[in-house]
Amino acid sequence: MKKILTIALAILSCHAFAQKDSLKTYNLARINTTSHGLEILGGWGLLSLGSGAIMNWGTGSKTITVTVDGNQVPQRISSISPELKYFGQMNTVWGSVDFLTALLGYSGTQRLKNKNLSAAELLKQQERIEKIFKVNMYLDVVYLGAGAYLKLAGDSRNSPMMKGYGEAILVQGGFLLVFDALMYKAEKGNGTRLRNFLEKHPISFDGRRVGIIFNM
């Protein structure tokens, strides 16, 4: 009987270690998905920041001749419309926020790369990242609504600032809605595979103890 228990415990231990290796695989899959997404977000942030800065502070200008006290005086004016300058301003702000968010998120994600998470910890992390992107999608819809309001208000009041800001928010909100929807779908897929794995392998392992879970 003692030998049988020893063999059974050895089998359970091997199974637990195999599960631990599999949990690492699921953890890396989640981290890779999140990391790739944050790289895309960071790239979009830099693009928005750079293009917005050019629109707002670019050197595009043209020379016109104006009459001052009867004299023809050349004067350089910006060739960029006020609406486009405001569009660039808002893109610069959004680009900065997107890039900083991606940078901080990527750094935090990489710190979890080599951690040995238990099944419960990994499931908690997975559910957390799914919730983040799901909530972000609702926020993106709010951004689109705000952008549309500013654009329409700018058109009715002939306000270049409101029109430029509204158009920029529509562009940024549209991108973020597509981005967050795709990320949520990818993360949800990772979570579904993890939950299916845990249902089929209900063994707990924390690095010191081995236990088996019986579903009653």
Side-chain angles (χ1 to χ4, degrees), residues 42-213:
W44 172 260
L46 283 177
L47 178 62
S48 299
L49 178 59
S51 60
I54 292 173
M55 292 177 197
N56 188 37
W57 295 287
T59 58
S61 61
K62 60 183 178 180
T63 302
I64 63 173
T65 301
V66 297
T67 303
V68 180
D69 297 330
N71 298 317
Q72 298 293 318
V73 179
Q75 184 177 354
R76 294 179 68 83
I77 63 172
S78 174
S79 60
I80 299 176
S81 68
E83 183 179 329
L84 192 58
K85 285 180 70 69
Y86 288 121
F87 180 83
Q89 285 181 10
M90 184 58 71
N91 273 312
T92 301
V93 173
W94 278 77
S96 301
V97 173
D98 287 345
F99 179 73
L100 183 60
T101 300
L103 185 63
L104 294 176
Y106 188 87
S107 177
T109 300
Q110 293 305 302
R111 285 198 294 269
L112 296 174
K113 198 167 189 177
N114 297 319
K115 281 193 174 183
N116 294 322
L117 301 179
S118 66
E121 291 171 334
L122 181 55
L123 187 59
K124 183 178 179 180
Q125 290 288 335
Q126 181 62 51
E127 291 175 344
R128 175 176 174 272
I129 196 65
E130 290 176 25
K131 184 177 181 180
I132 287 174
F133 286 113
K134 186 175 183 179
V135 171
N136 282 350
M137 284 192 292
Y138 292 115
L139 291 176
D140 298 335
V141 174
V142 174
Y143 299 150
L144 288 172
Y149 170 77
L150 285 175
K151 176 67 168 61
L152 292 174
D155 289 336
S156 63
R157 301 176 189 179
N158 196 25
S159 171
M161 182 179 71
M162 296 181 74
K163 287 193 288 185
Y165 284 174
E167 290 168 356
I169 294 174
L170 283 172
V171 170
Q172 296 292 334
F175 168 81
L176 289 177
L177 180 59
V178 173
F179 170 78
D180 288 324
L182 292 175
M183 288 300 297
Y184 176 73
K185 181 179 179 181
E187 295 290 3
K188 188 70 174 178
N190 287 338
T192 299
R193 287 188 288 273
L194 173 62
R195 285 181 278 270
N196 290 339
F197 171 78
L198 293 177
E199 287 178 1
K200 294 177 182 178
H201 303 81
I203 292 181
S204 61
F205 179 73
D206 62 6
R208 296 182 299 276
R209 294 167 296 178
V210 175
I212 185 167
I213 300 172

